[in-house]
Amino acid sequence: GQNIDQPTEMTATEGAIVQINCTYQTSGFNGLFWYQQHAGEAPTFLSYNVLDGLEEKGRFSSFLSRSKGYSYLLLKELQMKDSASYLCAPRRSNYQLIWGAGTKLIIKP
Amino acid sequence: DAGITQSPRYKITETGRQVTLMCHQTWSHSYMFWYRQDLGHGLRLIYYSAAADITDKGEVPDGYVVSRSKTENFPLTLESATRSQTSVYFCASRAPQEIAKNIQYFGAGTRLSVL
């Protein structure tokens, strides 16, 4: 079967660092995507991991541990515009994505 | 404009009516997808298409019909709308692995209300 767990909501302060965790169980795992979705808008691609380790892209980094079924998205130097939902999406061997319900991140001044 | 566009952006209809949501992409991506997004749920796959004239069911296909006569268009039809189909619908297309890791790119969405 497949199951994805990520926190429903998190709050952080502008300028701080926040880590959004995602645990997953999926058959035929073939990589993991993180997407950002602002309220009322479409999801947009943030990062992709297929091997274990950390992928860094500017203020955003994503980590994957395949053996633990675990990933996290790290956001540094938080800005108000980072207030959004963050969607964890493991990819199966048939290249289809399984989507988590998302973590709503609230940034406070 | 290049990209993926959905129409209409907002739609209100009544139960029992047929509704068609349109999706158009200019990248010539082979794969296209229809998802619905509801509060408390992740994106749920309704139907997908690997190429023109090739479509397949996703996780929640009941009550929906798709067609893909041309690579660039992938319309979604609700044959007889029900209140449970009130949702936000997203169309997506997928870039080839060798170019962009199979990233899915989304349209802006259609917010559908069935009264």
Side-chain angles (χ1 to χ4, degrees), chain B:
Chain B
D1 286 352
I4 182 165
T5 55
Q6 292 184 235
S7 61
R9 291 294 314 279
Y10 303 91
K11 177 74 177 178
I12 299 173
T13 191
E14 297 176 339
T15 56
R17 292 200 181 254
Q18 184 179 83
V19 177
T20 296
L21 310 183
M22 305 301 292
C23 179
H24 175 81
Q25 54 108 352
T26 60
W27 292 306
S28 299
H29 289 166
S30 295
Y31 277 84
M32 296 186 73
F33 306 84
W34 274 107
Y35 293 96
R36 60 178 290 173
Q37 187 175 41
D38 304 288
L39 276 174
H41 291 274
L43 290 160
R44 291 185 288 177
L45 182 65
I46 304 170
Y47 269 95
Y48 68 99
S49 169
D53 298 321
I54 302 175
T55 62
D56 211 345
K57 295 178 180 179
E59 180 186 356
V60 288
D62 293 345
Y64 303 95
V65 174
V66 293
S67 62
R68 191 148 177 227
S69 58
K70 294 183 178 180
T71 299
E72 60 266 31
N73 296 325
F74 190 36
L76 175 73
T77 297
L78 288 67
E79 294 187 297
S80 178
T82 65
R83 289 196 180 91
S84 65
Q85 293 177 311
T86 291
S87 186
V88 180
Y89 292 85
F90 286 103
C91 177
S93 70
R94 191 174 81 193
Q97 172 71 19
E98 64 274 15
I99 295 176
K101 307 173 188 174
N102 285 151
I103 294 169
Q104 290 190 20
Y105 295 95
F106 287 81
T110 296
R111 188 174 295 272
L112 177 68
S113 295
V114 183
L115 305 179

Side-chain angles (χ1 to χ4, degrees), chain A residues 7-11 84-86 102-106:
Chain A
T8 303
E9 187 174 296
M10 298 181 70
T11 302
S85 289
Y86 292 86
T103 298
K104 183 178 180 180
L105 178 63
I106 299 168

